[in-house]
């Protein structure tokens, strides 16, 4: 929650390059999924209103996705948390 915009952008660039499908031709499908997750997380964290809503309400529910249930795909909170894992 205390990451600066510069920290978020730096983490996004690092992970976007790491997971870009063109850099992972041996497992392109997994790379595409990871790249999309990273991009979606960045779209939330880089937007002031979305980030505030995310921080206050806790991710998925805050963005209208509902709580992630058993077997559900990772939501924005999980993807956003991956940026700093």
């Amino acid at each position: 929650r205390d990451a600066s915009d510069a920290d978020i952008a730096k983490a996004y660039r690092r992970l976007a390059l790491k997971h870009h499908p063109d850099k992972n031709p041996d497992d392109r499908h997994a790379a595409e999924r990871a790249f999309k997750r990273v991009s979606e997380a960045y779209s939330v964290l880089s937007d002031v209103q979305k980030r505030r809503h995310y921080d206050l309400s806790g991710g998925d529910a805050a963005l209208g996705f509902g709580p992630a249930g058993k077997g559900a795909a990772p939501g924005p909170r999980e993807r956003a948390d991956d940026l700093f894992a």
Side-chain angles (χ1 to χ4, degrees):
R1 289 186 188 208
D2 59 349
S4 70
D5 291 341
D7 292 337
I8 292 169
K10 182 178 178 181
Y12 168 72
R13 284 190 302 272
R14 179 178 50 83
L15 291 171
L17 284 172
K18 176 181 177 182
H19 296 292
H20 195 280
D22 291 344
K23 298 240 181 201
N24 295 282
D26 295 335
D27 197 356
R28 193 169 185 83
H29 184 67
E32 286 174 1
R33 284 193 320 261
F35 184 77
K36 287 178 184 179
R37 287 184 12 225
V38 169
S39 296
E40 289 173 16
Y42 181 69
S43 74
V44 171
L45 295 176
S46 64
D47 181 285
V48 174
Q49 284 187 320
K50 287 181 183 177
R51 184 175 179 185
R52 183 179 310 127
H53 200 86
Y54 169 90
D55 286 341
L56 294 174
S57 301
D60 293 341
L63 299 174
F65 294 105
K70 183 178 179 183
R77 172 156 301 275
E78 290 84 8
R79 290 187 293 268
D81 290 344
D82 287 345
L83 280 175
F84 297 102

